[in-house]
Amino acid sequence: MHPIPSRRRWIGLACAALCAAPLAWASGYPDKPVKLVVPYPPGGPTDIVARVVAQKLQEQMGQPFVVDNRPGAGANIGAEAVARSTPDGYTLVVATTAHAINPSLFARLNYSITKDFAPVSQLTSGPLVIVTSPATPVSNVKELIALAKSKPGGLNYASSGNGQSTHLSAELFSAMAGVKMAHVPYKGSAPALTDVMGGQADLMFDTMLSSMPHVKAGKLKALAVTSGQRSPSAPDIPTVAESGLPGYEAIAWNGLLAPAGTPPEVVNRLSAELKKVLENPEVRQRFEAQGFSATWNTPAAYASFLQAEVDKWDKVVKTSGAKID
């Protein structure tokens, strides 16, 4: 047989194999357990979201999705570990609003949220809720702004910590409303809410998960939610924008990131599987019970959202002067 056709045939087969490789890689993924790093302690809102998603991905993809809690340093320890991991789709991180805030807040970070990760999809979005003691003499956002303007710096607001979304959402509010309020940071939502209920702090921008049980029990008064639309979990509570401060929006969100360099075929496979998870009625109901909405988007759309969040919170951090060394 003449050698040239044989060589051509071999080259053709090799090319076909190479072209099919990415497809085979994606269809064969995952063939071992996948680690979902949660940069917060067990039991919190992000951990709850991660465990629901992990369970459903495991059911759909036939391999264990294992939640690995790595809290600390403002959610940076877990994020940095994933940024430095092998980019093969087997180590992922559940990111939050804090990861969009941290580039501006921390003087030194050992990773870049926009350069060291491949965005997969958002998972949830949800508002904070402005709560006050029932004794505070305001019942809506307009009255809160008027009270704050009547005594500059005289109102104080609690937060779950310096630089957290519960802090910077209030700073965004103050900047847009043209008011000054004193910030009192706490180590977590629970002690902060205790002082709001007791009248030691005037108000707080807090997650619905931790604050709404106290609202329902009559121990706190809810003025407004911080999202652009009313929350399905509490449709009677107006938004900040509709009740006194047009244009205001601040949401808490979770999303899934892979290390930069993860093959696009794997990222797209994960994104497609997440779309099924987040359209599942059971998942949507479970998230709504926590005050979240299930939110899917494409990797490109999530990348754009992430950059917009980084830019937005950069301005708020600079205005507030918040900094962590």
Side-chain angles (χ1 to χ4, degrees):
M1 183 182 288
H2 197 283
I4 292 177
S6 172
R7 187 179 301 131
R8 282 178 179 161
R9 184 168 178 272
W10 181 86
I11 290 169
L13 287 169
C15 286
L18 285 171
C19 292
L23 212 56
W25 191 357
S27 63
Y29 169 87
D31 61 7
K32 61 181 181 180
V34 179
K35 186 186 296 180
L36 240 60
V37 173
V38 173
Y40 295 94
T46 301
D47 182 67
I48 291 169
V49 167
R51 290 179 189 278
V52 171
V53 169
Q55 178 191 338
K56 291 300 178 185
L57 286 175
Q58 181 168 315
E59 291 171 6
Q60 291 174 192
M61 301 182 79
Q63 286 289 342
F65 276 71
V66 182
V67 173
D68 179 10
N69 297 91
R70 294 202 197 178
N76 289 322
I77 288 175
E80 183 183 347
V82 175
R84 301 285 170 260
S85 66
T86 304
D88 56 6
Y90 289 95
T91 307
L92 312 168
V93 65
V94 181
T96 71
T97 315
H99 294 103
I101 295 170
N102 287 349
S104 307
L105 186 68
F106 284 80
R108 290 176 297 277
L109 280 184
N110 295 321
Y111 69 93
S112 165
I113 195 68
T114 53
K115 294 178 183 175
D116 291 336
F117 293 97
V120 180
S121 174
Q122 200 173 335
L123 300 173
T124 65
S125 63
L128 301 178
V129 58
I130 306 176
V131 292
T132 69
S133 158
T136 304
V138 296
S139 57
N140 56 53
V141 168
K142 282 184 180 176
E143 291 176 2
L144 175 61
I145 293 171
L147 182 62
K149 284 183 174 178
S150 72
K151 45 180 183 180
L155 286 184
N156 61 60
Y157 70 90
S159 81
S160 58
N162 190 33
Q164 299 294 312
S165 59
T166 55
H167 167 204
L168 294 175
S169 296
E171 289 293 336
L172 178 63
F173 177 92
S174 296
M176 290 182 65
V179 300
K180 285 190 179 297
M181 298 189 294
H183 175 218
V184 184
Y186 290 77
K187 292 182 178 179
S189 284
L193 285 173
T194 297
D195 274 10
V196 175
M197 286 185 277
Q200 286 84 15
D202 294 308
L203 67 145
M204 183 176 180
F205 287 61
D206 193 36
T207 64
M208 297 188 75
L209 179 63
S210 54
S211 58
M212 287 307 292
H214 300 297
V215 172
K216 289 172 181 173
K219 296 177 181 178
L220 286 171
K221 181 165 50 178
L223 303 186
V225 293
T226 62
S227 49
Q229 305 292 326
R230 293 193 182 201
S231 168
S233 304
D236 294 338
I237 303 175
T239 67
V240 173
E242 73 179 283
S243 59
L245 194 56
Y248 179 91
E249 182 177 14
I251 60 167
W253 52 265
N254 292 294
L256 196 65
L257 301 172
T262 300
E265 297 79 18
V266 171
V267 170
N268 290 333
R269 173 83 198 281
L270 277 168
S271 178
E273 294 293 336
L274 281 173
K275 188 172 191 289
K276 295 180 201 171
V277 170
L278 297 169
E279 288 176 347
N280 183 306
E282 179 198 345
V283 170
R284 298 179 80 86
Q285 286 169 9
R286 288 180 72 176
F287 285 172
E288 282 181 12
Q290 307 295 333
F292 299 124
S293 296
T295 307
W296 177 86
N297 43 27
T298 64
Y302 183 40
S304 297
F305 169 82
L306 196 55
Q307 185 63 61
E309 283 284 285
V310 169
D311 294 343
K312 170 183 178 175
W313 292 114
D314 178 63
K315 293 174 186 173
V316 178
V317 169
K318 285 175 179 171
T319 300
S320 73
K323 228 27 170 183
I324 296 177
D325 294 327

